[in-house]
Amino acid sequence: MSRRYDSRTTMFSPEGRLYQVEYAMEAIGNAGTCLGILAKDGILLACEKRITNKLLDEIFETEKLYRLSPNMVCSVAGITSDANTLVNELRLIAQRYQLNYQESMPCEQLVASMCDVKQAYTQFGGKRPFGVSLLYAGWDHHFGLQLYQSDPSGNYSGWKATCIGANNAQAISSLDSDYKSDMSLQEAIPLAIKVMYKIMDQNKLTAEKLEIATVTRTDEGTTEMTIIPRETVAELITKREQEIAQETQK
Amino acid sequence: MDFSIGIKGQDYVILAEDMNAAHSIILNQQDHTKMLDLNDHLLLARTGELGDGVQCAEYLQKNIQLYQLRNGYEMRSNAAANYIRKYLADSIRSQEPMNVNILLAAYDTISKEPQLYYIDYMGSMATVPFAAHGHGALFSLGIIDRYYSRSMSRDEALSVLKKCIVELKKRFIVNYTSFNVQVVDSQGIHQLDRIVA
């Protein structure tokens, strides 16, 4: 009955909902998971890769991780082509700021600017919202290392640990119990593996399906994204499988 | 016919400027302030066309304030200087260029460093230990060259400033009756006593 209010992005339903925005979030709920953890010495981003065909030519190093600016990195969950458009726009926004102020754009400002753009698609213009949620990891001299998440509605918030994509609610409740605020990256990496293992189909978690990167601040004053090599990821998965085997034995 | 001068020390920047408001040969006002606080740690001294100066300075001040309101923190001194520089660089390439020269005194609260920026109406910018705009610069820079050191105290800097003013009084055709002097440091922007020539 209230289907009449679905097709227009810019109309509220009688219950006060924006259906197009909710449908966009549905689309993301079926997409590859992305996990982010803020540790005291860096930020960890772990992504589930959905495209793992052997025939694919690996031109880009990462499928879901993008560098936005000298001090920010993001990972995406949702419709890939929408994600590409947003990443392009984010990079433009960051560079425009840099052109004006000759300094890297502070993290929250970049996220907020992008979210203002996304919000516009929910209010006017008649175009559908973007079917993408993003996790942003970066550093600035105001607040240090930061982790943000934004969704199709144009809302954003800062997180210590969060998850987007398939099974994100399960992941967040898992992080809720295991996350400690003064964690180091060395502790966060196995935690990420543990959570990913839990939420992904346990038979199918392999190193080929995971993309894990750490975002850290170097002594020279740059923000680096380091992708954890596949062999290391495989070792960590094996270690987790052994832990689970031991736990089930007891 | 304006004159502005800035001297940077270890933890402060002093800016001084004449207080004449003149149009051609008429001196309208002798106690006109041409300095403006852009935020708690940024002081702008403008020389050049009077009307342009007011428009330019107030526009910059309001935008810098807006940045602070939006983001919850002050615009950093280097970011502000570049923002101002770009504003003037865009202006010179427009149909109605602003004829305003600027000296920007700043204290960066994050790196805890004072900074002095020399920006001219075309949008060129330099970070300098001391600078001056106007004809008076021709008389002053040599004097400051002779006596300047980075570790100067504020009183020493003021005495060098006074030497420049004495020289201007003696050899420059324009008569400046008094100078507005302000200082920027970690505590903010402070008014010092006017120097009467």
Side-chain angles (χ1 to χ4, degrees):
Chain A
M1 224 179 8
S2 44
R3 282 244 151 202
R4 276 191 272 160
Y5 303 92
D6 282 14
S7 46
R8 291 281 208 69
T9 61
T10 54
M11 280 172 75
F12 278 112
S13 77
E15 300 91 48
R17 293 156 70 175
L18 289 168
Y19 279 117
Q20 281 299 309
V21 175
E22 291 184 17
Y23 296 160
M25 309 226 217
E26 266 300 304
I28 297 162
N30 298 326
T33 315
C34 278
L35 183 70
I37 300 175
L38 177 66
K40 61 178 186 227
D41 54 340
I43 302 168
L44 182 83
L45 291 171
C47 310
E48 176 199 349
K49 295 203 300 198
R50 285 285 170 92
I51 309 168
T52 51
N53 196 322
K54 274 188 298 184
L55 292 174
L56 271 177
D57 192 5
E58 285 178 357
I59 302 173
F60 297 110
E61 221 188 335
T62 59
E63 177 191 308
K64 293 173 57 116
L65 291 161
Y66 300 91
R67 178 167 272 280
L68 300 176
S69 73
N71 64 324
M72 277 193 85
V73 156
C74 77
S75 71
V76 302
I79 302 172
T80 312
S81 44
D82 284 8
N84 286 337
T85 309
L86 287 183
V87 167
N88 252 346
E89 192 58 35
L90 279 160
R91 286 169 173 162
L92 268 172
I93 294 171
Q95 288 306 309
R96 273 184 212 126
Y97 182 96
Q98 192 138 8
L99 178 63
N100 267 308
Y101 299 101
Q102 295 298 322
E103 64 170 20
S104 289
M105 191 169 192
C107 303
E108 188 173 351
Q109 286 188 48
L110 179 57
V111 176
S113 293
M114 186 73 250
C115 286
D116 286 343
V117 173
K118 289 208 265 186
Q119 186 276 341
Y121 283 79
T122 71
Q123 194 171 19
F124 54 84
K127 299 180 195 170
R128 66 164 176 81
F130 291 96
V132 194
S133 277
L134 295 110
L135 285 181
Y136 310 80
W139 182 95
D140 64 41
H141 46 241
H142 297 286
F143 300 113
L145 290 164
Q146 294 151 76
L147 175 67
Y148 292 94
Q149 182 217 322
S150 73
D151 62 29
S153 65
N155 273 324
Y156 74 90
S157 36
W159 293 86
K160 294 178 198 163
T162 189
C163 186
I164 52 177
N167 299 317
N168 64 325
Q170 198 184 349
I172 290 176
S173 70
S174 196
L175 287 168
D176 223 339
S177 41
D178 292 328
Y179 177 81
K180 291 174 200 39
S181 35
D182 57 351
M183 252 180 153
S184 68
L185 269 178
Q186 285 309 310
E187 296 167 303
I189 297 171
L191 173 59
I193 301 273
K194 181 178 173 189
V195 175
M196 289 299 261
Y197 199 89
K198 199 175 194 180
I199 63 173
M200 285 171 72
D201 208 333
Q202 286 181 6
N203 302 334
K204 292 185 195 163
L205 179 62
T206 59
E208 283 76 41
K209 291 202 167 183
L210 266 189
E211 211 164 64
I212 306 189
T214 58
V215 178
T216 49
R217 190 79 187 150
T218 63
D219 291 332
E220 292 86 45
T222 58
T223 309
E224 296 303 318
M225 173 169 73
T226 319
I227 303 185
I228 298 184
R230 195 168 285 187
E231 305 80 46
T232 318
V233 178
E235 279 168 33
L236 287 162
I237 294 176
T238 321
K239 203 168 161 205
R240 178 65 198 149
E241 283 169 343
Q242 288 168 348
E243 278 171 19
I244 292 174
Q246 283 177 342
E247 280 165 23
T248 49
Q249 267 182 1
K250 284 181 197 164
Chain B
M1 289 298 170
D2 294 321
F3 171 65
S4 65
I5 182 168
I7 301 178
K8 177 172 81 173
Q10 285 284 49
D11 58 352
Y12 65 87
V13 187
I14 287 177
L15 277 190
E17 200 166 30
D18 75 281
M19 299 186 80
N20 282 357
H23 282 96
S24 174
I25 57 169
I26 306 286
L27 186 58
N28 288 314
Q29 195 178 356
Q30 287 180 332
D31 56 356
H32 178 59
T33 322
K34 294 177 275 192
M35 283 200 219
L36 197 62
D37 296 4
L38 301 180
N39 67 24
D40 288 340
H41 295 94
L42 273 170
L43 179 64
L44 181 145
R46 52 182 173 77
T47 53
E49 186 86 47
L50 279 173
D52 282 355
V54 173
Q55 291 289 79
C56 175
E58 288 189 351
Y59 176 85
L60 293 168
Q61 182 196 49
K62 298 325 172 199
N63 275 292
I64 289 171
Q65 287 296 318
L66 180 61
Y67 182 101
Q68 186 162 345
L69 283 166
R70 278 188 177 142
N71 301 305
Y73 43 77
E74 275 188 346
M75 200 188 275
R76 271 190 95 166
S77 55
N78 204 51
N82 276 290
Y83 172 69
I84 293 169
R85 187 214 74 81
K86 183 158 196 300
Y87 173 73
L88 288 171
D90 289 340
S91 166
I92 194 87
R93 290 162 176 83
S94 72
Q95 298 288 25
E96 298 270 334
M98 288 270 178
N99 193 357
V100 188
N101 294 310
I102 287 173
L103 281 182
L104 184 71
Y107 188 85
D108 188 344
T109 45
I110 293 176
S111 66
K112 311 256 189 294
E113 289 277 312
Q115 283 290 22
L116 177 62
Y117 299 92
Y118 171 100
I119 305 173
D120 80 2
Y121 71 101
M122 290 182 281
S124 50
M125 182 169 85
T127 327
V128 285
F130 56 87
H133 274 301
H135 293 102
L138 296 169
F139 299 86
S140 311
L141 290 174
I143 296 174
I144 312 179
D145 270 332
R146 169 74 179 79
Y147 293 106
Y148 177 81
S149 89
R150 183 71 202 274
S151 56
M152 277 168 101
S153 71
R154 291 169 204 222
D155 287 331
E156 286 170 333
L158 282 171
S159 75
V160 172
L161 183 60
K162 282 173 187 156
K163 284 187 174 49
C164 298
I165 290 170
V166 163
E167 184 62 21
L168 285 174
K169 184 80 183 171
K170 188 170 181 190
R171 290 297 179 190
F172 188 42
I173 200 173
V174 175
N175 180 39
Y176 297 128
T177 37
S178 59
F179 291 82
N180 179 27
V181 187
Q182 290 187 295
V183 65
V184 185
D185 60 24
S186 60
Q187 308 300 313
I189 301 173
H190 317 284
Q191 181 75 47
L192 298 177
D193 292 332
R194 278 189 201 172
I195 298 175
V196 180

Short mmCIF file of all heavy atoms in Angstrom, two decimals, chain B residues 89-137:
data_model
loop_
_atom_site.label_atom_id
_atom_site.label_comp_id
_atom_site.label_asym_id
_atom_site.label_seq_id
_atom_site.Cartn_x
_atom_site.Cartn_y
_atom_site.Cartn_z
N ALA B 89 45.31 35.81 -5.30
CA ALA B 89 45.74 35.32 -6.62
C ALA B 89 44.54 35.21 -7.56
O ALA B 89 44.66 35.51 -8.75
CB ALA B 89 46.43 33.97 -6.48
N ASP B 90 43.40 34.77 -7.03
CA ASP B 90 42.18 34.70 -7.86
C ASP B 90 41.69 36.11 -8.18
O ASP B 90 41.23 36.37 -9.29
CB ASP B 90 41.07 33.94 -7.12
CG ASP B 90 41.36 32.45 -7.01
OD1 ASP B 90 42.18 31.95 -7.81
OD2 ASP B 90 40.78 31.80 -6.13
N SER B 91 41.84 37.02 -7.20
CA SER B 91 41.35 38.38 -7.39
C SER B 91 42.08 39.10 -8.51
O SER B 91 41.47 39.80 -9.31
CB SER B 91 41.52 39.13 -6.06
OG SER B 91 41.38 40.50 -6.26
N ILE B 92 43.39 38.92 -8.58
CA ILE B 92 44.16 39.63 -9.62
C ILE B 92 43.79 39.15 -11.01
O ILE B 92 43.99 39.85 -12.00
CB ILE B 92 45.69 39.50 -9.36
CG1 ILE B 92 46.48 40.50 -10.20
CG2 ILE B 92 46.21 38.13 -9.68
CD1 ILE B 92 46.65 41.83 -9.61
N ARG B 93 43.25 37.93 -11.06
CA ARG B 93 42.89 37.38 -12.36
C ARG B 93 41.41 37.59 -12.67
O ARG B 93 40.86 36.95 -13.55
CB ARG B 93 43.23 35.88 -12.40
CG ARG B 93 44.70 35.62 -12.41
CD ARG B 93 45.04 34.18 -12.02
NE ARG B 93 46.47 33.94 -12.14
CZ ARG B 93 47.36 34.25 -11.21
NH1 ARG B 93 46.95 34.81 -10.07
NH2 ARG B 93 48.64 34.01 -11.38
N SER B 94 40.79 38.46 -11.92
CA SER B 94 39.37 38.71 -12.14
C SER B 94 39.20 40.10 -12.75
O SER B 94 40.17 40.81 -12.96
CB SER B 94 38.62 38.63 -10.82
OG SER B 94 38.92 39.75 -10.04
N GLN B 95 37.95 40.48 -12.98
CA GLN B 95 37.69 41.79 -13.59
C GLN B 95 37.92 42.93 -12.63
O GLN B 95 38.18 44.06 -13.04
CB GLN B 95 36.23 41.84 -14.08
CG GLN B 95 35.89 40.81 -15.14
CD GLN B 95 36.51 41.13 -16.48
OE1 GLN B 95 37.52 41.81 -16.57
NE2 GLN B 95 35.90 40.63 -17.54
N GLU B 96 37.79 42.64 -11.34
CA GLU B 96 37.93 43.70 -10.33
C GLU B 96 38.96 43.29 -9.30
O GLU B 96 38.61 42.86 -8.22
CB GLU B 96 36.58 43.91 -9.63
CG GLU B 96 35.46 44.36 -10.54
CD GLU B 96 35.40 45.88 -10.64
OE1 GLU B 96 35.84 46.54 -9.68
OE2 GLU B 96 34.91 46.38 -11.66
N PRO B 97 40.25 43.44 -9.61
CA PRO B 97 41.26 42.99 -8.64
C PRO B 97 41.26 43.86 -7.39
O PRO B 97 40.99 45.04 -7.45
CB PRO B 97 42.58 43.17 -9.40
CG PRO B 97 42.23 43.49 -10.80
CD PRO B 97 40.86 44.03 -10.82
N MET B 98 41.58 43.20 -6.28
CA MET B 98 41.73 43.90 -5.01
C MET B 98 43.13 44.48 -4.93
O MET B 98 44.10 43.77 -5.13
CB MET B 98 41.58 42.90 -3.85
CG MET B 98 40.19 42.41 -3.63
SD MET B 98 39.38 43.49 -2.48
CE MET B 98 37.78 42.76 -2.43
N ASN B 99 43.21 45.76 -4.61
CA ASN B 99 44.53 46.36 -4.49
C ASN B 99 44.90 46.44 -3.01
O ASN B 99 44.82 47.48 -2.38
CB ASN B 99 44.51 47.75 -5.12
CG ASN B 99 45.92 48.29 -5.32
OD1 ASN B 99 46.89 47.64 -4.93
ND2 ASN B 99 46.03 49.46 -5.91
N VAL B 100 45.27 45.28 -2.46
CA VAL B 100 45.56 45.19 -1.02
C VAL B 100 46.82 44.39 -0.80
O VAL B 100 46.95 43.29 -1.33
CB VAL B 100 44.41 44.46 -0.27
CG1 VAL B 100 44.62 44.54 1.21
CG2 VAL B 100 43.06 45.00 -0.67
N ASN B 101 47.74 44.94 -0.02
CA ASN B 101 48.93 44.18 0.39
C ASN B 101 48.76 43.80 1.85
O ASN B 101 48.21 44.58 2.63
CB ASN B 101 50.19 45.03 0.23
CG ASN B 101 50.46 45.34 -1.23
OD1 ASN B 101 50.48 44.44 -2.06
ND2 ASN B 101 50.66 46.61 -1.53
N ILE B 102 49.26 42.62 2.18
CA ILE B 102 48.99 42.10 3.52
C ILE B 102 50.25 41.63 4.21
O ILE B 102 51.14 41.03 3.59
CB ILE B 102 47.98 40.93 3.41
CG1 ILE B 102 46.59 41.48 3.10
CG2 ILE B 102 47.95 40.07 4.66
CD1 ILE B 102 45.56 40.43 2.80
N LEU B 103 50.32 41.92 5.51
CA LEU B 103 51.29 41.24 6.37
C LEU B 103 50.47 40.44 7.37
O LEU B 103 49.59 40.99 8.03
CB LEU B 103 52.16 42.25 7.14
CG LEU B 103 53.31 42.91 6.40
CD1 LEU B 103 54.08 43.83 7.33
CD2 LEU B 103 54.28 41.86 5.84
N LEU B 104 50.75 39.15 7.44
CA LEU B 104 49.97 38.29 8.32
C LEU B 104 50.87 37.77 9.43
O LEU B 104 51.88 37.11 9.17
CB LEU B 104 49.40 37.11 7.52
CG LEU B 104 48.49 36.17 8.27
CD1 LEU B 104 47.16 36.83 8.56
CD2 LEU B 104 48.27 34.90 7.44
N ALA B 105 50.52 38.11 10.67
CA ALA B 105 51.28 37.62 11.82
C ALA B 105 50.48 36.50 12.44
O ALA B 105 49.27 36.63 12.66
CB ALA B 105 51.47 38.74 12.84
N ALA B 106 51.14 35.37 12.70
CA ALA B 106 50.42 34.21 13.20
C ALA B 106 51.19 33.50 14.28
O ALA B 106 52.42 33.56 14.32
CB ALA B 106 50.17 33.25 12.04
N TYR B 107 50.43 32.82 15.15
CA TYR B 107 51.07 31.91 16.08
C TYR B 107 50.41 30.56 15.90
O TYR B 107 49.21 30.43 16.12
CB TYR B 107 50.92 32.40 17.53
CG TYR B 107 51.74 31.55 18.48
CD1 TYR B 107 53.09 31.82 18.68
CD2 TYR B 107 51.18 30.45 19.12
CE1 TYR B 107 53.85 31.02 19.52
CE2 TYR B 107 51.93 29.65 19.94
CZ TYR B 107 53.28 29.94 20.15
OH TYR B 107 54.03 29.14 20.96
N ASP B 108 51.17 29.56 15.47
CA ASP B 108 50.61 28.23 15.24
C ASP B 108 50.57 27.48 16.57
O ASP B 108 51.61 27.13 17.12
CB ASP B 108 51.48 27.49 14.22
CG ASP B 108 50.86 26.17 13.79
OD1 ASP B 108 49.94 25.67 14.47
OD2 ASP B 108 51.31 25.61 12.79
N THR B 109 49.36 27.23 17.08
CA THR B 109 49.23 26.62 18.40
C THR B 109 49.59 25.13 18.39
O THR B 109 49.81 24.55 19.44
CB THR B 109 47.80 26.77 18.93
OG1 THR B 109 46.91 26.44 17.87
CG2 THR B 109 47.53 28.18 19.39
N ILE B 110 49.64 24.53 17.21
CA ILE B 110 49.97 23.10 17.16
C ILE B 110 51.47 22.90 17.15
O ILE B 110 52.02 22.11 17.91
CB ILE B 110 49.28 22.42 15.95
CG1 ILE B 110 47.77 22.42 16.18
CG2 ILE B 110 49.80 21.01 15.74
CD1 ILE B 110 46.97 21.88 15.03
N SER B 111 52.19 23.64 16.30
CA SER B 111 53.64 23.49 16.27
C SER B 111 54.32 24.46 17.23
O SER B 111 55.53 24.40 17.40
CB SER B 111 54.16 23.73 14.85
OG SER B 111 53.96 25.08 14.50
N LYS B 112 53.55 25.35 17.85
CA LYS B 112 54.05 26.34 18.81
C LYS B 112 55.12 27.24 18.21
O LYS B 112 56.17 27.49 18.82
CB LYS B 112 54.61 25.65 20.08
CG LYS B 112 53.70 24.62 20.71
CD LYS B 112 53.03 25.18 21.96
CE LYS B 112 52.29 24.13 22.75
NZ LYS B 112 51.15 23.56 22.07
N GLU B 113 54.88 27.70 16.99
CA GLU B 113 55.84 28.55 16.30
C GLU B 113 55.16 29.83 15.85
O GLU B 113 54.04 29.77 15.33
CB GLU B 113 56.32 27.84 15.03
CG GLU B 113 57.22 26.66 15.25
CD GLU B 113 58.65 27.09 15.46
OE1 GLU B 113 59.13 27.92 14.67
OE2 GLU B 113 59.26 26.60 16.40
N PRO B 114 55.85 30.98 15.99
CA PRO B 114 55.30 32.20 15.40
C PRO B 114 55.63 32.22 13.91
O PRO B 114 56.60 31.61 13.48
CB PRO B 114 56.06 33.31 16.13
CG PRO B 114 57.36 32.70 16.50
CD PRO B 114 57.15 31.23 16.66
N GLN B 115 54.78 32.90 13.12
CA GLN B 115 55.07 32.99 11.69
C GLN B 115 54.71 34.37 11.18
O GLN B 115 53.75 34.97 11.65
CB GLN B 115 54.22 31.98 10.88
CG GLN B 115 54.69 30.55 10.95
CD GLN B 115 55.98 30.31 10.20
OE1 GLN B 115 56.76 31.22 9.95
NE2 GLN B 115 56.21 29.06 9.85
N LEU B 116 55.49 34.86 10.23
CA LEU B 116 55.17 36.14 9.58
C LEU B 116 55.11 35.89 8.08
O LEU B 116 56.05 35.36 7.49
CB LEU B 116 56.24 37.18 9.90
CG LEU B 116 56.08 38.55 9.23
CD1 LEU B 116 54.79 39.23 9.67
CD2 LEU B 116 57.28 39.45 9.56
N TYR B 117 53.97 36.24 7.48
CA TYR B 117 53.78 36.03 6.04
C TYR B 117 53.69 37.37 5.35
O TYR B 117 52.93 38.24 5.76
CB TYR B 117 52.50 35.25 5.76
CG TYR B 117 52.46 33.87 6.37
CD1 TYR B 117 51.91 33.66 7.62
CD2 TYR B 117 52.97 32.76 5.68
CE1 TYR B 117 51.87 32.41 8.19
CE2 TYR B 117 52.93 31.50 6.24
CZ TYR B 117 52.38 31.33 7.50
OH TYR B 117 52.34 30.09 8.06
N TYR B 118 54.45 37.52 4.27
CA TYR B 118 54.41 38.72 3.44
C TYR B 118 53.61 38.33 2.20
O TYR B 118 54.03 37.46 1.44
CB TYR B 118 55.84 39.11 3.09
CG TYR B 118 55.99 40.20 2.06
CD1 TYR B 118 56.25 41.51 2.45
CD2 TYR B 118 55.91 39.92 0.70
CE1 TYR B 118 56.42 42.52 1.50
CE2 TYR B 118 56.08 40.92 -0.24
CZ TYR B 118 56.33 42.22 0.17
OH TYR B 118 56.50 43.21 -0.76
N ILE B 119 52.43 38.94 2.02
CA ILE B 119 51.57 38.61 0.87
C ILE B 119 51.27 39.89 0.13
O ILE B 119 50.85 40.87 0.76
CB ILE B 119 50.25 37.97 1.36
CG1 ILE B 119 50.52 36.77 2.27
CG2 ILE B 119 49.39 37.55 0.17
CD1 ILE B 119 49.29 36.19 2.93
N ASP B 120 51.44 39.88 -1.19
CA ASP B 120 51.13 41.12 -1.90
C ASP B 120 49.87 40.98 -2.75
O ASP B 120 49.28 39.91 -2.83
CB ASP B 120 52.34 41.64 -2.68
CG ASP B 120 52.54 40.93 -4.00
OD1 ASP B 120 51.75 40.06 -4.36
OD2 ASP B 120 53.53 41.26 -4.67
N TYR B 121 49.48 42.05 -3.38
CA TYR B 121 48.16 42.09 -4.02
C TYR B 121 48.02 41.13 -5.19
O TYR B 121 46.94 40.83 -5.64
CB TYR B 121 47.83 43.52 -4.46
CG TYR B 121 48.63 44.03 -5.63
CD1 TYR B 121 48.10 44.07 -6.92
CD2 TYR B 121 49.95 44.46 -5.46
CE1 TYR B 121 48.84 44.53 -8.00
CE2 TYR B 121 50.70 44.92 -6.52
CZ TYR B 121 50.14 44.95 -7.79
OH TYR B 121 50.90 45.40 -8.85
N MET B 122 49.16 40.63 -5.69
CA MET B 122 49.09 39.67 -6.79
C MET B 122 49.01 38.23 -6.31
O MET B 122 48.87 37.32 -7.12
CB MET B 122 50.33 39.84 -7.67
CG MET B 122 50.31 41.12 -8.46
SD MET B 122 51.75 41.23 -9.49
CE MET B 122 52.98 41.74 -8.30
N GLY B 123 49.13 38.03 -5.02
CA GLY B 123 49.08 36.67 -4.51
C GLY B 123 50.43 36.01 -4.38
O GLY B 123 50.51 34.78 -4.33
N SER B 124 51.49 36.79 -4.33
CA SER B 124 52.77 36.15 -4.03
C SER B 124 52.95 36.16 -2.53
O SER B 124 52.49 37.08 -1.85
CB SER B 124 53.94 36.84 -4.73
OG SER B 124 53.91 38.22 -4.52
N MET B 125 53.58 35.12 -2.02
CA MET B 125 53.69 34.98 -0.57
C MET B 125 55.07 34.50 -0.19
O MET B 125 55.65 33.66 -0.89
CB MET B 125 52.66 33.97 -0.07
CG MET B 125 52.67 33.79 1.42
SD MET B 125 51.26 32.86 2.00
CE MET B 125 51.86 31.20 1.78
N ALA B 126 55.57 35.03 0.93
CA ALA B 126 56.85 34.55 1.45
C ALA B 126 56.76 34.51 2.97
O ALA B 126 56.14 35.36 3.59
CB ALA B 126 57.98 35.48 1.03
N THR B 127 57.38 33.48 3.54
CA THR B 127 57.46 33.37 5.00
C THR B 127 58.79 33.97 5.40
O THR B 127 59.83 33.50 4.95
CB THR B 127 57.45 31.90 5.44
OG1 THR B 127 56.65 31.18 4.54
CG2 THR B 127 56.94 31.74 6.82
N VAL B 128 58.73 35.03 6.22
CA VAL B 128 59.95 35.82 6.45
C VAL B 128 60.13 36.15 7.93
O VAL B 128 59.18 36.17 8.69
CB VAL B 128 59.89 37.16 5.67
CG1 VAL B 128 60.13 36.93 4.20
CG2 VAL B 128 58.56 37.84 5.90
N PRO B 129 61.38 36.46 8.33
CA PRO B 129 61.62 36.88 9.71
C PRO B 129 61.20 38.32 9.96
O PRO B 129 60.84 38.68 11.08
CB PRO B 129 63.13 36.72 9.89
CG PRO B 129 63.70 36.76 8.52
CD PRO B 129 62.65 36.27 7.58
N PHE B 130 61.25 39.16 8.93
CA PHE B 130 60.76 40.52 9.06
C PHE B 130 60.39 41.03 7.67
O PHE B 130 60.88 40.51 6.66
CB PHE B 130 61.78 41.45 9.73
CG PHE B 130 63.11 41.49 9.04
CD1 PHE B 130 63.37 42.37 7.99
CD2 PHE B 130 64.14 40.64 9.45
CE1 PHE B 130 64.60 42.40 7.36
CE2 PHE B 130 65.37 40.66 8.83
CZ PHE B 130 65.60 41.53 7.77
N ALA B 131 59.50 41.97 7.60
CA ALA B 131 59.03 42.45 6.30
C ALA B 131 58.38 43.80 6.45
O ALA B 131 58.02 44.21 7.57
CB ALA B 131 58.03 41.47 5.71
N ALA B 132 58.20 44.49 5.30
CA ALA B 132 57.48 45.76 5.31
C ALA B 132 56.83 45.97 3.96
O ALA B 132 57.35 45.52 2.93
CB ALA B 132 58.44 46.91 5.62
N HIS B 133 55.69 46.65 3.97
CA HIS B 133 55.00 47.02 2.72
C HIS B 133 55.01 48.53 2.59
O HIS B 133 54.95 49.24 3.60
CB HIS B 133 53.53 46.56 2.77
CG HIS B 133 53.31 45.15 2.32
ND1 HIS B 133 53.65 44.71 1.07
CD2 HIS B 133 52.76 44.10 2.96
CE1 HIS B 133 53.31 43.43 0.96
NE2 HIS B 133 52.77 43.03 2.09
N GLY B 134 55.01 49.01 1.38
CA GLY B 134 54.90 50.45 1.15
C GLY B 134 56.24 51.09 0.90
O GLY B 134 57.29 50.46 1.00
N HIS B 135 56.22 52.39 0.58
CA HIS B 135 57.46 53.11 0.35
C HIS B 135 58.36 53.08 1.56
O HIS B 135 59.59 53.08 1.44
CB HIS B 135 57.18 54.57 -0.03
CG HIS B 135 56.50 54.72 -1.36
ND1 HIS B 135 55.16 54.97 -1.47
CD2 HIS B 135 56.98 54.64 -2.61
CE1 HIS B 135 54.83 55.04 -2.74
NE2 HIS B 135 55.91 54.84 -3.46
N GLY B 136 57.74 53.07 2.71
CA GLY B 136 58.51 53.04 3.95
C GLY B 136 59.43 51.84 4.05
O GLY B 136 60.43 51.87 4.76
N ALA B 137 59.10 50.77 3.30
CA ALA B 137 59.95 49.57 3.33
C ALA B 137 61.35 49.88 2.84
O ALA B 137 62.34 49.33 3.35
CB ALA B 137 59.32 48.49 2.47
#
